[in-house]
Amino acid sequence: MIEINRRQFLQTLGAGAVASSALLAACKGKDEQIQTTTAAKQEPPTDKMTMRVNPNTGDSVSILGYGMMRLPVIEDPDNEGAPPFDQEMINKQVDYAMAHGVNYFDTSPAYCRGESETCTGIALSRHPRDKYFVATKMSNFSPETWSAEASQEMFYNSLKYLQVDYLDYLLLHAIGGTSRDLEGNDLDSEATFNARYMDNGILDWLVEQKQAGKIRNLGFSYHGDIKIFDMLLRWHDEGRYHWDFVQIELNYLDWNFANEINGSNTDAVYLYGELEKRGIPAVIMEPLLGGRLANVPDFILAKMKARRPEDSVASWAFRFAGTPKGVLTVLSGMTYMEHLRENLCTFAPLDPISADEDTFLLDLANDIYNLHEIPCTACKYCMPCPYGLNIPDIFQHYNKMIKEGNMPNNPERAEYAKKRKAFLVGYDRSVPRLRQADHCIGCGECQSHCPQSIKIPEEMRKIDEFVENLKKESFV
Amino acid sequence: MLRKIRITMATLSMLCITLLFLDFTGVLHHWLGWLAKVQFVPAILALNFAVIAILVVLTFIFGRIYCSVICPLGIMQDIMARLRFKKKKHQFTTEKKWLRYPILILFIVAMVCGFGAFWVFLEPYGSFGRIASNLLQPIYLWLNNILAGIAEHYESYMFYDKEIWIRSLPTFIVAAATFFIISAMAINGGRTYCNTICPVGTVLGFVSRFSLFGIRIDKDKCKQCGACVRKCKSSCIDVKTMTVDYSRCVVCGNCTGNCKFGALHYGMMTKSSHNADETSGKDNKNDNVDDGRRAFLTGSVMLATTAALAQTQKKVDGGLAVIEDKISPVRNTPITPPGSLSARNFQQRCTACQLCVAECPNQVLVPSTDLTHFMQPTMSYDKGYCRSECNRCSQVCPTGAIRPISQEEKTSIQIGHAVWVKKNCLPATEGISCGNCARHCPTGAIQMIPSDPNDESSPLIPAVNTAVCIGCGACENLCPANPSAIYVEGHEQHREI
């Protein structure tokens, strides 16, 4: 006969509680057993952040960088277009991030309807200046800001809004893109680069600012035409300009597939390789492709969970981006506290991707590529559309339907009617009717702004026709 | 017993016909559509002789059961009359022939002359339709939207959100006024409306004077206590003479159950019982439904939306352009829905019941604010356009104002034609390339041509082939300019292309 008396029972119970609280306090250690426990994931440690060293300045930079492009807003149904940013939440999240070792903050004069620098400035100015590195950009996309005066004003405004005397990192923003000048002529990537940085002497002026101590590290972020990327690195080799760092898009999908997805983009394996060769630290953007790599179809999720059942889908992408040694920091636009906590657990400390896992992820990339999603990362560079369209939300809905397996592609199939309804009802839910694809007139205003080089008007037309055909098959 | 049967049937019929007006999914009309088609005036307008004959025969045999179990406005009055103070008793009144018959004659004259702005106010089915679609459907939609919100939360696509909007303020006010006035009359005097104003009540009352079945008073058993009179909504039992005015009795059965002496029965009539009181009564409240109508006609407030724009140079990322309300174009000829044959046919037959308006999934049909066809639906492309796959309004119309058409037929019915307005067109004025109208034209009636005939590369402007255009309004609705640079002029007489 087995007898457990009340006392013994309580003891057993107590021991169990002690064990689980020990796990709770853990979220750390190289020991995978401990690190992957769900309980352990709940509370990130404050002293385990993986740090990388910038060879130029000796800065010890946290591997997790805070992207200030997707700041939280206070939802306001009456002000759908311009909800106010939630400064209280921004402060709280910045404080929390810094308390857990994050020290790199990346913003731009263009982000968040132009308010990101101000919000970032408010949050950071509450901390000692030597406790954080702030990065911002020369975002002179609009031809109205191409003059030396206007660009310089943008720089001075950055200092003012960020409430600092010097910038730790300054980037030429998104080189390799195209543009449309004030007369409406389309400029190619080279002409655009020259108009933004060379003809007006702004690049040289920025070098002067660096010498004057206003900028500690000068670099650039790159999207689009590889010609410009190569040209700038050639200048670096020739000693004409020195790049302290370069910001590139890197994730396990873009590693080998960036060019397949869009012919005008370049695979991350090449970009990173070129930087590593020269010892230029790489700052990583879009490690998660605007959340697309955090929200994968079930069959891919199942494969990930089979390997590391307690790790989040996003953690795979972050670990991949942080693994190469030449990566200085991985930027994540953490809108919500939950994102921040989850990422802190991934990076404090970073558990690098093994060779086996690397192969596994590159195989998954193949699966994701074959979904043929629209490669939108919801960065909103294209917005606002002058005709009121909500471009990112339209693409998000389309991708969501692909991901959920709800694409009504084949009327012969069972489930077609259900998928059709899901697509149409979901479309109206995600995007108000007056902001849907049928209102795109194809003016092309958005085109040059897309860092992913998506042919937006063309895609809009395709989606519009797809929806039209669905609707035409009689109502309800 | 009679009362219980009446209440059961009335509840069922009321529930179904109300649902017909509430449903926006286009499913219920397959099963419930006939309920609108058996209404008396719609059947006359649709020249549906079988239904008219059945209703007349039904009334001739059983009395005015139509008014108690088929007419939704009648049932609505019975429901509202339950709010009446229990102690307040009904009293016998004399028939107001001097009011009933002139109104009937005016109604018929207005109908024959096509003076819709008058007769639609008196028509009971239309009045109920306006009440259901204007007052009840918003509540129904609101409940639906709560479900849709819950469904969205659980990622279900079972329920979907529908916009709640007042399609025409004057019509809404008329519906609300009708509801309150008729309800007040019902609470105060039972079936006063049905027996003094309603033209259908007058016609059926004339028939039911001679009906085979009716309420009989057993003069031997009757103690003239008046318990039946106190319960009589039609105020048609005269205990002094022990007679019933069959022209006003709606066979509700309230009296039979209330007689302690078993003196009242519903059954076969004898000759002698058909001698209702013939004296005509004096005044009483007479002005009602169209009371105050004039006041609402002046202000025409249309709630519209749509179409954006203010071309601004983009400097920062994110945000949404403000979407302005679309400015409605002024049409020389209003557009009537496909299947209505012509503006005249539509105007003569439409009872302004709003069933098609409640049904329209594209937010196209709205009640007109124009006096000559007040409250009758007209087409507006501010919120949507008449999509080629939809023929729902034609399926539900009970009066033949909109004849049933198939989806295939619809694609060849020309209800209007598109007109280009150069001064609004973006390619013509600002040199922006657009072509959204041509891209969305379902019949290919719009092609884009260079604005400068000598310069092939000049901005392209739309050229409309009016022979092919069916007037669906896709171009008008999707035009980025505000007001639209292309709009639809209606055709008085629809054509086939």
Side-chain angles (χ1 to χ4, degrees):
Chain A
M1 279 272 292
I2 302 165
E3 255 183 68
I4 296 185
N5 63 30
R6 196 177 128 79
R7 194 183 172 83
Q8 277 174 327
F9 175 72
L10 286 175
Q11 276 171 344
T12 325
L13 199 87
V18 169
S20 55
S21 57
L23 285 178
L24 257 161
C27 177
K28 58 204 72 178
K30 289 277 169 233
D31 188 345
E32 208 165 285
Q33 289 294 318
I34 295 172
Q35 204 204 355
T36 55
T37 351
T38 315
K41 286 280 171 190
Q42 286 173 356
E43 200 51 54
T46 53
D47 55 349
K48 294 285 192 297
M49 175 62 69
T50 298
M51 305 302 277
R52 294 273 164 88
V53 176
N54 176 349
N56 299 300
T57 52
D59 292 348
S60 178
V61 177
S62 60
I63 185 79
L64 174 62
Y66 210 131
M68 309 301 280
M69 191 176 83
R70 305 174 195 266
L71 297 177
V73 295
I74 301 168
E75 292 296 345
D76 180 1
D78 297 331
N79 194 359
E80 168 194 37
F85 290 95
D86 191 344
Q87 186 67 50
E88 198 182 320
M89 205 60 210
I90 297 167
N91 291 352
K92 193 174 155 192
Q93 288 172 193
V94 165
D95 294 352
Y96 190 85
M98 290 184 71
H100 290 78
V102 173
N103 63 2
Y104 188 98
F105 296 85
D106 174 83
T107 177
S108 149
Y111 289 170
C112 301
R113 310 194 305 266
E115 292 184 48
S116 173
E117 282 187 339
T118 309
C119 295
T120 308
I122 293 171
L124 288 179
S125 63
R126 297 153 49 257
H127 294 271
R129 181 66 184 91
D130 60 346
K131 293 288 182 229
Y132 61 86
F133 303 116
V134 64
T136 190
K137 311 188 178 77
M138 180 51 70
S139 310
N140 52 355
F141 295 111
S142 164
E144 284 165 343
T145 56
W146 286 351
S147 70
E149 297 71 35
S151 290
Q152 288 169 11
E153 191 193 342
M154 187 176 276
F155 176 82
Y156 289 126
N157 280 338
S158 291
L159 291 175
K160 187 169 87 188
Y161 298 147
L162 286 167
Q163 307 183 35
V164 292
D165 304 323
Y166 63 90
L167 296 169
D168 298 286
Y169 292 79
L170 187 96
L171 303 90
L172 310 184
H173 196 176
I175 60 134
T178 57
S179 63
R180 186 178 279 182
D181 69 11
L182 283 176
E183 283 83 48
N185 305 313
D186 287 318
L187 305 186
D188 69 3
S189 56
E190 195 168 352
T192 303
F193 181 79
N194 286 334
R196 287 177 62 189
Y197 300 113
M198 305 313 289
D199 302 345
N200 55 12
I202 276 301
L203 181 51
D204 291 323
W205 184 79
L206 289 173
V207 172
E208 282 169 32
Q209 298 308 307
K210 189 183 159 191
Q211 282 157 359
K214 293 274 182 199
I215 299 169
R216 293 182 58 241
N217 294 277
L218 183 61
F220 61 85
S221 69
Y222 156 80
H223 284 291
D225 194 344
I226 194 64
K227 208 167 65 184
I228 308 298
F229 179 84
D230 288 341
M231 180 178 82
L232 295 199
L233 289 190
R234 201 170 57 240
W235 290 356
H236 181 87
D237 297 341
E238 292 164 356
R240 191 169 157 194
Y241 291 99
H242 175 80
W243 306 116
D244 299 306
F245 68 107
V246 170
Q247 188 162 314
I248 54 168
E249 183 171 317
L250 185 152
N251 50 64
Y252 59 85
L253 184 59
D254 282 323
W255 190 252
N256 283 328
F257 284 101
N259 189 254
E260 276 84 345
I261 291 167
N262 189 322
S264 51
N265 292 339
T266 308
D267 294 345
V269 61
Y270 172 80
L271 302 177
Y272 177 75
E274 291 298 300
L275 298 179
E276 195 185 33
K277 234 167 29 190
R278 294 169 173 83
I280 302 175
V283 172
I284 304 306
M285 58 180 155
E286 302 291 1
L288 211 53
L289 284 173
R292 275 174 61 213
L293 298 184
N295 182 5
V296 295
D298 280 350
F299 75 97
I300 291 176
L301 181 133
K303 288 185 190 176
M304 289 177 158
K305 293 288 177 185
R307 282 178 168 254
R308 293 170 77 116
E310 283 159 338
D311 276 17
S312 71
V313 173
S315 70
W316 283 95
F318 284 120
R319 288 173 54 229
F320 182 89
T323 296
K325 290 285 171 244
V327 169
L328 183 64
T329 185
V330 177
L331 297 176
S332 174
M334 296 165 284
T335 311
Y336 304 109
M337 196 55 140
E338 294 69 37
H339 293 160
L340 176 57
R341 294 162 75 99
E342 189 185 314
N343 290 354
L344 287 170
C345 281
T346 305
F347 285 116
L350 168 72
D351 177 21
I353 294 278
S354 67
D356 175 47
E357 285 177 331
D358 194 64
T359 320
F360 165 69
L361 280 179
L362 295 177
D363 280 349
L364 285 192
N366 193 36
D367 292 341
I368 294 176
Y369 167 69
N370 285 328
L371 292 172
H372 296 290
E373 293 175 310
I374 296 164
C376 172
T377 66
C379 71
K380 298 185 182 168
Y381 283 20
C382 54
M383 298 291 283
C385 161
Y387 297 93
L389 273 82
N390 193 336
I391 301 165
D393 281 4
I394 294 169
F395 288 154
Q396 299 282 300
H397 170 69
Y398 191 83
N399 286 347
K400 181 173 176 235
M401 291 295 125
I402 293 178
K403 227 167 276 171
E404 291 177 353
N406 262 335
M407 282 303 274
N409 282 325
N410 189 352
E412 310 295 312
R413 287 259 183 88
E415 300 264 288
Y416 174 76
K418 208 178 130 209
K419 289 179 176 181
R420 187 176 158 277
K421 186 172 180 187
F423 191 100
L424 291 176
V425 170
Y427 192 34
D428 284 349
R429 269 182 200 168
S430 311
V431 190
R433 286 231 166 139
L434 298 174
R435 300 197 186 280
Q436 292 181 354
D438 53 355
H439 287 87
C440 170
I441 72 162
C443 70
E445 277 294 312
C446 49
Q447 189 63 87
S448 65
H449 298 284
C450 181
Q452 307 299 327
S453 313
I454 301 170
K455 295 190 176 64
I456 298 173
E458 214 171 275
E459 295 294 340
M460 283 296 158
R461 207 150 297 171
K462 275 192 224 158
I463 293 178
D464 181 25
E465 274 166 23
F466 184 75
V467 170
E468 259 312 289
N469 287 332
L470 287 184
K471 285 188 175 175
K472 273 185 185 147
E473 283 170 50
S474 93
F475 238 77
V476 170
Chain B
M1 186 61 189
L2 178 64
R3 182 166 183 266
K4 276 184 188 145
I5 295 171
R6 190 259 304 173
I7 290 176
T8 314
M9 288 177 68
T11 311
L12 200 66
S13 111
M14 184 69 173
L15 215 59
C16 290
I17 198 159
T18 309
L19 269 176
L20 179 65
F21 276 93
L22 300 183
D23 177 55
F24 55 87
T25 62
V27 178
L28 287 184
H29 75 78
H30 293 295
W31 289 284
L32 303 177
W34 62 275
L35 276 165
K37 288 173 182 154
V38 300
Q39 298 297 321
F40 197 73
V41 177
I44 291 174
L45 290 163
L47 302 179
N48 196 339
F49 295 113
V51 169
I52 302 168
I54 290 168
L55 291 179
V56 169
V57 170
L58 210 62
T59 310
F60 180 69
I61 298 173
F62 299 106
R64 281 170 64 183
I65 53 171
Y66 173 89
C67 302
S68 277
V69 296
I70 299 175
C71 175
L73 197 71
I75 304 168
M76 186 193 90
Q77 291 178 67
D78 287 349
I79 295 168
M80 295 314 292
R82 286 179 174 251
L83 298 176
R84 185 186 167 91
F85 291 116
K86 275 268 148 40
K87 284 189 180 159
K88 200 172 169 207
K89 308 287 195 304
H90 287 285
Q91 283 176 337
F92 172 73
T93 56
T94 46
E95 189 189 1
K96 293 173 185 59
K97 276 188 176 164
W98 59 273
L99 195 58
R100 288 181 95 173
Y101 288 97
I103 289 179
L104 176 64
I105 290 162
L106 278 177
F107 179 78
I108 293 168
V109 169
M111 230 165 141
V112 171
C113 300
F115 190 47
F118 176 75
W119 67 263
V120 296
F121 284 95
L122 299 175
E123 201 276 305
Y125 160 75
S127 293
F128 174 77
R130 286 189 290 278
I131 290 167
S133 62
N134 278 283
L135 307 183
L136 297 180
Q137 202 191 30
I139 299 171
Y140 185 76
L141 291 179
W142 179 70
L143 290 171
N144 167 74
N145 289 354
I146 292 176
L147 287 178
I150 296 169
E152 189 174 351
H153 181 76
Y154 289 105
E155 292 271 313
S156 153
Y157 298 100
M158 188 158 22
F159 298 98
Y160 51 91
D161 211 70
K162 284 297 277 187
E163 187 189 349
I164 302 170
W165 58 303
I166 296 176
R167 298 169 182 97
S168 154
L169 190 59
T171 304
F172 179 84
I173 294 172
V174 168
T178 312
F179 175 71
F180 285 113
I181 292 169
I182 294 183
S183 297
M185 288 171 85
I187 293 168
N188 190 48
R191 292 294 193 115
T192 315
Y193 170 82
C194 306
N195 288 329
T196 46
I197 293 155
C198 178
V200 177
T202 309
V203 170
L204 295 181
F206 181 78
V207 176
S208 69
R209 268 177 219 278
F210 314 104
S211 65
L212 299 182
F213 284 77
I215 302 292
R216 290 178 306 153
I217 302 178
D218 188 335
K219 287 183 179 171
D220 298 333
K221 288 184 184 167
C222 177
K223 302 278 189 288
Q224 293 183 317
C225 68
C228 53
V229 182
R230 290 196 284 275
K231 288 279 173 191
C232 179
K233 293 179 300 193
S234 298
S235 306
C236 64
I237 307 174
D238 185 356
V239 272
K240 283 190 197 126
T241 57
M242 290 194 262
T243 52
V244 176
D245 178 357
Y246 296 106
S247 80
R248 287 185 288 152
C249 173
V250 293
V251 206
C252 69
N254 284 1
C255 53
T256 50
N258 209 41
C259 182
K260 281 179 285 195
F261 311 105
L264 287 154
H265 293 285
Y266 178 67
M268 202 63 158
M269 305 291 265
T270 53
K271 270 232 173 99
S272 60
S273 37
H274 273 304
N275 50 3
D277 198 327
E278 295 285 313
T279 46
S280 56
K282 26 182 179 20
D283 68 313
N284 226 352
K285 40 211 152 308
N286 45 7
D287 51 328
N288 33 48
V289 229
D290 47 346
D291 186 11
R293 169 170 66 93
R294 223 176 321 133
F296 312 131
L297 302 187
T298 42
S300 69
V301 185
M302 297 295 289
L303 295 181
T305 37
T306 297
L309 102 127
Q311 279 274 31
T312 45
Q313 192 72 42
K314 177 188 174 315
K315 289 211 190 74
V316 292
D317 303 330
L320 287 167
V322 177
I323 292 185
E324 298 167 5
D325 288 354
K326 194 112 181 164
I327 301 165
S328 311
V330 182
R331 300 182 217 279
N332 293 326
T333 312
I335 319 165
T336 55
S340 60
L341 306 179
S342 66
R344 195 184 49 202
N345 174 68
F346 189 65
Q347 198 203 351
Q348 284 180 345
R349 291 226 156 107
C350 175
T351 66
C353 74
Q354 315 294 315
L355 184 54
C356 58
V357 174
E359 192 77 18
C360 180
N362 300 309
Q363 300 177 302
V364 168
L365 288 174
V366 292
S368 170
T369 46
D370 186 18
L371 267 185
T372 51
H373 28 81
F374 186 57
M375 300 195 299
Q376 292 181 340
T378 184
M379 296 175 84
S380 148
Y381 298 137
D382 292 347
K383 280 178 169 264
Y385 59 94
C386 192
R387 296 192 54 92
S388 55
E389 71 275 0
C390 173
N391 58 356
R392 275 162 58 176
C393 56
S394 85
Q395 303 294 313
V396 296
C397 181
T399 67
I402 313 174
R403 296 278 191 83
I405 50 168
S406 68
Q407 289 174 2
E408 290 73 29
E409 282 172 301
K410 178 174 174 175
T411 55
S412 65
I413 298 176
Q414 193 175 45
I415 57 171
H417 65 273
V419 179
W420 180 57
V421 186
K422 186 181 178 185
K423 68 177 169 63
N424 296 338
C425 189
L426 293 178
T429 55
E430 296 184 35
I432 295 166
S433 85
C434 177
N436 217 27
C437 49
R439 206 154 40 239
H440 289 93
C441 178
T443 61
I446 305 176
Q447 58 168 318
M448 300 303 287
I449 56 165
S451 50
D452 178 356
N454 301 317
D455 180 7
E456 279 293 308
S457 62
S458 60
L460 299 178
I461 54 166
V464 183
N465 180 355
T466 50
V468 185
C469 172
I470 56 171
C472 70
C475 53
E476 181 183 323
N477 177 247
L478 295 172
C479 177
N482 192 17
S484 293
I486 189 161
Y487 80 100
V488 178
E489 265 301 339
H491 285 174
E492 291 248 356
Q493 185 81 41
H494 292 180
R495 303 166 209 168
E496 291 263 329
I497 55 164

